[in-house]
Amino acid sequence: MRATAVAVVAALVAGAVQLLSAPSRQHLEPMDRTVRVWHWNVAGNALHRGSASDGLVEAVADSVIARGADVVSLNEVCESQYTAIRRRLAARGWPQDPDNFGRFDAALAPSSRLCGGSGAYGIALFAEHGMGAARRYPLPGDGVAEPRTMLCAPRADLPRMKYCTVHIATSDTGNGGTEVARRQLDKVRSLLDGFAEAGETYVVAGDFNAQPHYVRLDPFYAASADTPNNSGNHGANRELDDADPSHCPGYGEGTAVGSGGPSTPCAGTAKVDLILVRESQLAGAYSADALSAPASCAGMAYCSDHRVLIGEVRLRVH
């Protein structure tokens, strides 16, 4: 009896050790998730001077809710506008985690000449499911122009799902771009490669100030995205608007508002706003759409000089 009891105890201990040391089934089996992305460069200083009462806040919140977004990316937003949008979304019941769903990163400190003196200016993220700790990744600069960063945060309930927003420096030298813009893009690409190597699934949205067919974006787009409108790609990503057969395949819909901009491979305005995901992390179809620019803001024809870009994608999360 004593030997039998010892054997039973030993078996139980061995089983417990095996359970403790084995990875969980959740860790072993990746999960597929559909993500609905909403991005807009709101020109919060250039057109609105920091105003949170001229219709911009309502335009953002109404569209986010109407489109059922999971993650929101904002560029050129004043802190006063970010705060008002956060309150508006919370009041509309959008966030599932009402105390932890927004992140703001200041590119420029408060100034009487900035945002109407209402506060800092930068980029922002919102996530309906809440977010973990955010991290800002500084991008190369020239010490003179506006500092640029990429702002990222994990989804609260899926810590290996990372949301990012970025605003690349303006470049007026066409296809090649300025040296600063190229170095910023190289840094962003390096960061995305690092996320993938660490087993993190990512979505990055922003104003890249470059059209999809420009040489400086070739290291981003995967070769599988090549079309006559956007060729020579050798990267690892797909852009959510690159597979639309009806709107300039491989390029997508223009996001700039107004005329007189740079030439494009198809009719329409330039596309400078992008939503990028890792091709190897795709778990299904994806799509995007550039929405008509809202015209509901007081004192201006359109609420921004950019159109809202929305996208939906099925991704694999480990």
Side-chain angles (χ1 to χ4, degrees):
M1 290 293 292
R2 182 174 299 173
T4 302
V6 170
V8 170
V9 171
L12 291 173
V13 170
V17 170
Q18 184 177 8
L19 287 173
L20 288 171
S21 61
S24 68
R25 176 170 296 273
Q26 184 177 10
H27 179 74
L28 284 172
E29 297 180 358
M31 301 172 288
D32 295 350
R33 290 290 186 269
T34 297
V35 182
R36 292 175 295 275
V37 190
W38 190 101
H39 165 76
W40 197 15
N41 181 326
V42 298
N45 175 60
L47 293 183
H48 299 269
R49 300 294 186 268
S51 175
S53 59
D54 65 359
L56 177 64
V57 171
E58 291 78 7
V60 171
D62 290 348
S63 182
V64 166
I65 292 171
R67 297 291 171 172
D70 298 306
V71 57
V72 172
S73 159
L74 295 177
N75 288 172
E76 294 192 28
V77 62
C78 296
E79 190 171 12
S80 54
Q81 296 156 345
Y82 160 80
T83 300
I85 291 168
R86 190 178 187 281
R87 289 172 178 164
R88 173 73 60 155
L89 289 173
R92 298 282 295 272
W94 179 73
Q96 295 183 12
D97 189 351
D99 297 321
N100 190 35
F101 73 101
R103 300 288 186 271
F104 175 81
D105 182 39
L108 297 174
S111 160
S112 60
R113 299 183 299 276
L114 182 71
C115 292
S118 64
Y121 164 90
I123 57 179
L125 280 172
F126 293 101
E128 184 185 20
H129 296 272
M131 287 184 281
R135 181 171 176 182
R136 61 190 305 273
Y137 298 90
L139 303 181
D142 58 9
V144 177
E146 173 190 332
R148 307 285 174 146
T149 64
M150 184 165 73
L151 177 67
C152 299
R155 179 168 150 167
D157 60 340
L158 290 174
R160 298 183 76 79
M161 168 73 82
K162 188 182 294 289
Y163 297 142
C164 301
T165 184
V166 67
H167 185 198
I168 300 298
T170 302
S171 173
D172 58 2
T173 58
N175 200 321
T178 63
E179 178 61 26
V180 169
R182 288 196 299 269
R183 287 193 287 118
Q184 289 179 0
L185 289 169
D186 286 345
K187 178 65 174 180
V188 169
R189 181 170 51 82
S190 175
L191 289 168
L192 298 183
D193 289 345
F195 298 160
E197 290 169 5
E200 296 176 313
T201 300
Y202 62 78
V203 177
V204 56
D207 177 1
F208 281 70
N209 270 309
Q211 297 190 69
H213 66 297
Y214 283 1
V215 170
R216 62 184 182 271
L217 288 184
D218 287 350
F220 281 86
Y221 281 81
S224 57
D226 277 11
T227 70
N229 305 313
N230 177 17
S231 60
N233 299 302
H234 51 87
N237 301 280
R238 297 299 297 255
E239 201 276 320
L240 297 193
D241 205 18
D242 69 22
D244 185 344
S246 303
H247 298 95
C248 203
Y251 178 93
E253 293 182 86
T255 60
V257 174
S259 58
S263 61
T264 66
C266 304
T269 61
K271 176 180 175 63
V272 294
D273 298 278
L274 311 175
I275 303 172
L276 296 170
V277 297
R278 197 82 173 183
E279 183 179 43
S280 62
Q281 295 170 347
L282 288 170
Y286 62 88
S287 63
D289 190 24
L291 307 180
S292 298
S296 55
C297 294
M300 60 196 75
Y302 299 103
C303 292
S304 176
D305 54 356
H306 289 246
R307 297 167 70 183
V308 174
L309 182 63
I310 61 172
E312 183 171 314
V313 60
R314 187 79 171 167
L315 293 171
R316 184 144 295 169
V317 186
H318 291 275

